Amino acid sequence: MMDILKKYCAHAFFILLLLLGLATSRTEKINRPTAHLKHPTATARVNHRVAEPLERFHAAFSPDDAATPAVEAEDDLNLSGEDIELAVENFTDTDVLAALENLATRTKPTAMELRKLLVRRWAERDVVVAAAWAMQFPESATRSIVLEQVSIAWANSDLARATAWLRDLPDGESKQVATLAAAYEASRTDPMAALEIASQLPPARERDELLTHAVSQWATSDFAAAAAWVGEIPESDLRQEMLAAVAVAASAENAPAAVTFLVNTLTAGETQSRAAVSITQRWAQVTPLDAAAWVSQFPEMPARDAAVENLVGLWVANDSQAAMDWVNTLPDGSLRATAINAYAASLPQPDNATLSR
């Protein structure tokens, strides 16, 4: 009996040691720092959900191919954009070029996003060298991507040198992409410089959208100067679009001046109507009565009807009684009819009994 008890105790002790060993091993595995994570702050941000994917991510794109075999199906890594940015933070500066070379032939989304982030990081540290490296690629989607990232970084650090570099690039799609990127960056702080950069581009939808965006940025700080600049554009359709953009941008600070400019400067038509709607939407959210007074002075035209419909729709949503009171003050005519129809259409269950026709 004693022998049996001794054997039982021995087995129990062995099992206990085994369990303790497994628990210790598991704790060490959980607490062990993830390989390749070199940035202490970034390491602290890695949670258990992304630790293993990040490990495989660095294995896939490591410059040391002998140590870690390349992973072909990088899309299977299932990393979000934030995870990819975290992974990029953990590439040392000396590894960036090797990683980019590893990525040269890869075209899947994860690899493409990683290439963009790595090129931007490199260009932010040494833009001249990064720009020279980017020029090795033939005209292609890859060349456009890398030149775009270099251009953004350079425009943020030294816009004058970036502009000179862009001017000297050989003509091609990649030059257009890089120029657009630099101009959009410049428009945030120097819209006049952005307009000058954009002027170097050949006529195209992308160029016109850039010009409109840049002049909108300018109009928020200097309405008169932006309007005068646009007035010199010889292309009629583009000039109308940009004048409308100037009016809408200026309405945030001075809606009365913006609408006067809109009525007196733009030709009646679709562009004017769209601008009128945009201004009305902004104005009605702040002072609907003032916006209504402006709409009432509009001559009978499609722009007025569009503005009234938007004004009343927004007003009903915020204060249906005030909107109804205004509609009932309007004299008989087309303006009143448009306003009544807009009011009725804005109600969940229209009740026109309170509106005197």
Side-chain angles (χ1 to χ4, degrees), residues 76-97:
D76 294 337
L77 295 175
N78 193 29
L79 293 175
S80 68
E82 182 180 355
D83 295 336
I84 295 175
E85 290 181 6
L86 176 59
V88 169
E89 290 179 12
N90 293 288
F91 278 95
T92 64
D93 290 347
T94 56
D95 285 346
V96 169
L97 179 57

Short mmCIF file of all heavy atoms in Angstrom, two decimals, residues 76-97:
data_model
loop_
_atom_site.label_atom_id
_atom_site.label_comp_id
_atom_site.label_asym_id
_atom_site.label_seq_id
_atom_site.Cartn_x
_atom_site.Cartn_y
_atom_site.Cartn_z
N ASP A 76 -1.85 38.26 -47.29
CA ASP A 76 -2.38 37.41 -46.23
C ASP A 76 -1.98 37.90 -44.85
O ASP A 76 -2.42 37.35 -43.84
CB ASP A 76 -1.89 35.97 -46.43
CG ASP A 76 -2.47 35.34 -47.69
OD1 ASP A 76 -3.52 35.80 -48.14
OD2 ASP A 76 -1.84 34.41 -48.19
N LEU A 77 -1.12 38.91 -44.76
CA LEU A 77 -0.68 39.39 -43.47
C LEU A 77 -1.81 40.09 -42.72
O LEU A 77 -1.77 40.23 -41.51
CB LEU A 77 0.49 40.37 -43.64
CG LEU A 77 1.76 39.74 -44.20
CD1 LEU A 77 2.80 40.81 -44.44
CD2 LEU A 77 2.32 38.69 -43.26
N ASN A 78 -2.82 40.56 -43.44
CA ASN A 78 -4.01 41.13 -42.82
C ASN A 78 -3.67 42.29 -41.87
O ASN A 78 -4.11 42.33 -40.73
CB ASN A 78 -4.78 40.04 -42.06
CG ASN A 78 -6.18 40.50 -41.67
OD1 ASN A 78 -6.77 41.34 -42.36
ND2 ASN A 78 -6.70 39.98 -40.58
N LEU A 79 -2.86 43.21 -42.35
CA LEU A 79 -2.47 44.37 -41.55
C LEU A 79 -3.24 45.60 -42.01
O LEU A 79 -3.44 45.82 -43.19
CB LEU A 79 -0.97 44.64 -41.70
CG LEU A 79 -0.02 43.60 -41.12
CD1 LEU A 79 1.41 43.96 -41.47
CD2 LEU A 79 -0.17 43.48 -39.63
N SER A 80 -3.65 46.40 -41.04
CA SER A 80 -4.31 47.67 -41.35
C SER A 80 -3.26 48.71 -41.73
O SER A 80 -2.06 48.48 -41.58
CB SER A 80 -5.09 48.15 -40.13
OG SER A 80 -4.20 48.51 -39.09
N GLY A 81 -3.75 49.87 -42.22
CA GLY A 81 -2.82 50.94 -42.55
C GLY A 81 -2.02 51.38 -41.33
O GLY A 81 -0.82 51.67 -41.44
N GLU A 82 -2.65 51.40 -40.16
CA GLU A 82 -1.94 51.79 -38.94
C GLU A 82 -0.84 50.78 -38.60
O GLU A 82 0.25 51.16 -38.18
CB GLU A 82 -2.92 51.89 -37.78
CG GLU A 82 -2.28 52.33 -36.47
CD GLU A 82 -3.29 52.43 -35.34
OE1 GLU A 82 -4.50 52.25 -35.60
OE2 GLU A 82 -2.86 52.67 -34.19
N ASP A 83 -1.15 49.48 -38.82
CA ASP A 83 -0.14 48.45 -38.55
C ASP A 83 1.06 48.60 -39.48
O ASP A 83 2.21 48.42 -39.07
CB ASP A 83 -0.76 47.06 -38.73
CG ASP A 83 -1.84 46.77 -37.70
OD1 ASP A 83 -1.81 47.39 -36.62
OD2 ASP A 83 -2.72 45.93 -37.98
N ILE A 84 0.78 48.93 -40.75
CA ILE A 84 1.87 49.11 -41.70
C ILE A 84 2.73 50.30 -41.30
O ILE A 84 3.97 50.24 -41.36
CB ILE A 84 1.32 49.29 -43.13
CG1 ILE A 84 0.60 48.01 -43.59
CG2 ILE A 84 2.44 49.62 -44.11
CD1 ILE A 84 -0.07 48.14 -44.94
N GLU A 85 2.10 51.39 -40.88
CA GLU A 85 2.86 52.56 -40.44
C GLU A 85 3.73 52.21 -39.23
O GLU A 85 4.87 52.65 -39.12
CB GLU A 85 1.90 53.70 -40.08
CG GLU A 85 1.21 54.31 -41.30
CD GLU A 85 0.29 55.45 -40.92
OE1 GLU A 85 0.28 55.83 -39.72
OE2 GLU A 85 -0.42 55.97 -41.80
N LEU A 86 3.18 51.40 -38.33
CA LEU A 86 3.95 50.96 -37.17
C LEU A 86 5.15 50.14 -37.59
O LEU A 86 6.25 50.30 -37.06
CB LEU A 86 3.05 50.15 -36.23
CG LEU A 86 3.72 49.53 -35.00
CD1 LEU A 86 4.35 50.62 -34.14
CD2 LEU A 86 2.69 48.75 -34.19
N ALA A 87 4.94 49.27 -38.58
CA ALA A 87 6.05 48.45 -39.06
C ALA A 87 7.14 49.32 -39.68
O ALA A 87 8.33 49.07 -39.48
CB ALA A 87 5.54 47.44 -40.08
N VAL A 88 6.75 50.35 -40.43
CA VAL A 88 7.72 51.23 -41.07
C VAL A 88 8.56 51.95 -40.01
O VAL A 88 9.76 52.15 -40.20
CB VAL A 88 7.01 52.24 -41.98
CG1 VAL A 88 7.96 53.34 -42.43
CG2 VAL A 88 6.43 51.53 -43.20
N GLU A 89 7.94 52.33 -38.91
CA GLU A 89 8.68 53.00 -37.84
C GLU A 89 9.83 52.14 -37.33
O GLU A 89 10.83 52.65 -36.83
CB GLU A 89 7.74 53.33 -36.67
CG GLU A 89 6.72 54.41 -36.95
CD GLU A 89 5.83 54.66 -35.76
OE1 GLU A 89 6.16 54.15 -34.67
OE2 GLU A 89 4.80 55.33 -35.92
N ASN A 90 9.69 50.83 -37.47
CA ASN A 90 10.66 49.92 -36.90
C ASN A 90 11.74 49.47 -37.88
O ASN A 90 12.57 48.64 -37.56
CB ASN A 90 9.93 48.71 -36.32
CG ASN A 90 9.10 49.09 -35.12
OD1 ASN A 90 9.62 49.38 -34.07
ND2 ASN A 90 7.79 49.15 -35.30
N PHE A 91 11.73 50.00 -39.10
CA PHE A 91 12.86 49.82 -40.00
C PHE A 91 13.92 50.86 -39.63
O PHE A 91 13.61 52.05 -39.55
CB PHE A 91 12.44 50.04 -41.46
CG PHE A 91 11.79 48.85 -42.10
CD1 PHE A 91 10.42 48.73 -42.14
CD2 PHE A 91 12.55 47.86 -42.68
CE1 PHE A 91 9.81 47.64 -42.73
CE2 PHE A 91 11.96 46.77 -43.29
CZ PHE A 91 10.58 46.65 -43.31
N THR A 92 15.12 50.42 -39.41
CA THR A 92 16.19 51.39 -39.17
C THR A 92 16.47 52.13 -40.47
O THR A 92 16.16 51.65 -41.57
CB THR A 92 17.47 50.69 -38.69
OG1 THR A 92 17.94 49.83 -39.73
CG2 THR A 92 17.21 49.89 -37.43
N ASP A 93 17.08 53.29 -40.38
CA ASP A 93 17.38 54.09 -41.57
C ASP A 93 18.26 53.31 -42.55
O ASP A 93 18.11 53.44 -43.76
CB ASP A 93 18.06 55.39 -41.17
CG ASP A 93 17.11 56.33 -40.46
OD1 ASP A 93 15.89 56.07 -40.49
OD2 ASP A 93 17.58 57.32 -39.87
N THR A 94 19.17 52.53 -42.01
CA THR A 94 20.08 51.78 -42.89
C THR A 94 19.38 50.65 -43.62
O THR A 94 19.87 50.16 -44.64
CB THR A 94 21.25 51.21 -42.09
OG1 THR A 94 20.74 50.40 -41.02
CG2 THR A 94 22.11 52.31 -41.51
N ASP A 95 18.23 50.22 -43.10
CA ASP A 95 17.50 49.12 -43.72
C ASP A 95 16.51 49.58 -44.79
O ASP A 95 15.98 48.76 -45.53
CB ASP A 95 16.73 48.32 -42.66
CG ASP A 95 17.63 47.42 -41.84
OD1 ASP A 95 18.79 47.22 -42.26
OD2 ASP A 95 17.19 46.94 -40.79
N VAL A 96 16.22 50.88 -44.84
CA VAL A 96 15.18 51.37 -45.74
C VAL A 96 15.49 51.04 -47.20
O VAL A 96 14.65 50.53 -47.93
CB VAL A 96 14.95 52.88 -45.54
CG1 VAL A 96 14.07 53.44 -46.66
CG2 VAL A 96 14.31 53.14 -44.20
N LEU A 97 16.70 51.36 -47.65
CA LEU A 97 17.05 51.13 -49.05
C LEU A 97 16.99 49.65 -49.39
O LEU A 97 16.46 49.28 -50.44
CB LEU A 97 18.44 51.68 -49.34
CG LEU A 97 18.94 51.49 -50.78
CD1 LEU A 97 17.95 52.12 -51.77
CD2 LEU A 97 20.32 52.09 -50.97
#
